[in-house]
Amino acid sequence: MMANLQELLPVILIMAGVTFLTRSAPFILLSGKADHPMLQFLARYIPPAIMTLLVLYSFGSVEFATSPFGLPELTAAMLTVGTHLLWRHALLSICVGTAFYMVAVQQLI
Amino acid sequence: MHVLPAAWRASLPVMFGYVPLGMAFGILFQDLGYPWYLATLMGLLVYAGAAQFMAVGLLAAHAGLIEIAVSTFALNLRHVFFGLSMLDRYRCSGLKKLYLIFGLTDETYSLATSATPPVAGDPSDYYFAITALNQSYWVVGCTLGAITGSAVEFDSTGMEFALTALFLVLLLEQWKAVRTVFPFLVAASCGLIALIYFKTQMLLVSISLSLILLVLRYRYSGNS
């Protein structure tokens, strides 16, 4: 037990330190500059860009070339978007899409 | 903290994603022969999903500390760009701010940039509650996975789609808030290029490219 802890603690601490470094860098380097017009501009337009990229990234590992050709993912995504456009209730949209996806990958394929 | 009910509702989708993903990590992690509480400790101190999964692979291959540090850095470098757009929102100070920065995962960033804090109450309390709830889901997932191992009864295959669905919903919300095509168009183009040419570092490459284009756009188009 102690050997495990001694072996892994440095790994955990270094990973924690490096991760915090990447998350805190802009706050340290740009402290007090939040009112700069360019940062205001970026604060407005980075979130939509990153959300687009996170969606693309989520679909990046889907195999569209082989069966089932990404159909579970695409259908679940369309259900999520459709539900959200109809009721604009985030949790409902997410539950509908996720429930369909779970049934699809566990039962249908 | 009367912001708690609103934060809880906003963070629920992350729970559906973090608990099964954290459990998947815990299961892989205890397969390496480590005691369960080290998975808990990792969720508490590191709190970076992709990096923790990567660490399982590196630990299994007996990678050195420097290799682990460099890989973690490369994988998490995208977070630098998250902070850029949070300077204004995370204006509080002290330990609360330190924790907000520490907990700035992809999902927490997505919620904090899309959700509107309740009118009553301090916005930073709301962001703090979301961050802490999200981390608690992750830590619970890591711990459960490591304790139960692969003997879990409930088949949660596919539940991680909740995070994809969350990003989709927040993308729609961003569209409703911004109503301008160019950030979406810029990101979609950069994202496709990165998926084709730089798949292993897709997010870092595509976020960097998008940022460069957004800065150019700011420089050369009347700063609107």
Side-chain angles (χ1 to χ4, degrees), chain B residues 197-209:
Chain B
Y197 296 107
F198 306 95
K199 195 151 183 190
T200 50
Q201 278 291 358
M202 183 272 181
L203 278 177
L204 178 60
V205 170
S206 59
I207 294 176
S208 312
L209 277 177

Side-chain angles (χ1 to χ4, degrees), chain B residues 91-105:
Chain B
R91 260 181 202 259
C92 54
S93 57
L95 278 179
K96 193 198 272 177
K97 184 168 187 172
L98 269 185
Y99 181 69
L100 287 176
I101 295 171
F102 161 81
L104 198 54
T105 58

Side-chain angles (χ1 to χ4, degrees), chain A residues 2-18, chain B residues 38 41-42 45-46 59 64-66 68-69:
Chain A
M2 280 315 287
N4 278 324
L5 185 63
Q6 277 171 8
E7 180 197 335
L8 211 58
L9 201 58
V11 172
I12 293 179
L13 290 180
I14 205 146
M15 286 184 70
V18 169
Chain B
L38 288 181
L41 197 65
M42 246 179 152
L45 296 181
V46 181
L59 286 169
L65 264 187
I66 293 178
I68 291 176

Side-chain angles (χ1 to χ4, degrees), chain A residues 42-83:
Chain A
L42 292 177
R44 184 168 157 83
Y45 293 118
I46 289 180
I50 287 186
M51 226 54 69
T52 310
L53 292 170
L54 286 172
V55 168
L56 275 179
Y57 176 74
S58 306
F59 287 94
S61 51
V62 178
E63 296 283 347
F64 290 102
T66 51
S67 176
F69 308 105
L71 278 178
E73 287 81 5
L74 290 176
T75 318
M78 283 193 294
L79 274 174
T80 308
V81 170
T83 311

Side-chain angles (χ1 to χ4, degrees), chain B residues 10-110:
Chain B
S11 74
L12 267 181
V14 175
M15 182 176 81
F16 294 127
Y18 272 13
V19 171
L21 277 177
M23 287 182 70
F25 163 79
I27 291 169
L28 292 173
F29 181 82
Q30 59 89 41
D31 273 345
L32 295 176
Y34 294 114
W36 63 268
Y37 57 81
L38 288 181
T40 313
L41 197 65
M42 246 179 152
L44 280 172
L45 296 181
V46 181
Y47 186 36
Q52 284 180 228
F53 275 101
M54 182 203 67
V56 169
L58 289 175
L59 286 169
H62 300 287
L65 264 187
I66 293 178
E67 194 182 339
I68 291 176
V70 172
S71 310
T72 307
F73 183 74
L75 195 59
N76 285 336
L77 198 53
R78 66 179 186 281
H79 291 144
V80 168
F81 304 120
F82 291 7
L84 268 180
S85 44
M86 297 309 278
L87 297 170
D88 206 24
R89 286 187 185 84
Y90 285 2
R91 260 181 202 259
C92 54
S93 57
L95 278 179
K96 193 198 272 177
K97 184 168 187 172
L98 269 185
Y99 181 69
L100 287 176
I101 295 171
F102 161 81
L104 198 54
T105 58
D106 294 9
E107 291 73 18
T108 305
Y109 173 82
S110 306

Side-chain angles (χ1 to χ4, degrees), chain A residues 4-5 7-8 15-16 19 22-24 26 30 35 37-38 41 48-49 52-53 60 84 88 91 94 98 101 106, chain B residues 29 34-35 38 45 47 51 76 79-80 84 91 101-102 104 155 157-158 162 169 173-174 176 187 199 214 218:
Chain A
N4 278 324
L5 185 63
E7 180 197 335
L8 211 58
M15 286 184 70
T19 303
T22 61
R23 288 177 186 165
S24 61
L30 301 169
D35 293 321
M38 186 168 86
F41 176 89
T52 310
L53 292 170
H84 199 66
R88 208 181 170 185
L91 197 56
I94 290 160
T98 308
Y101 185 74
Q106 288 182 21
Chain B
F29 181 82
Y34 294 114
L38 288 181
L45 296 181
Y47 186 36
N76 285 336
H79 291 144
V80 168
L84 268 180
R91 260 181 202 259
I101 295 171
F102 161 81
L104 198 54
D155 185 359
T157 310
V169 163
E173 291 300 320
Q174 284 290 338
K176 286 190 171 126
K199 195 151 183 190
L214 288 177
Y218 171 79

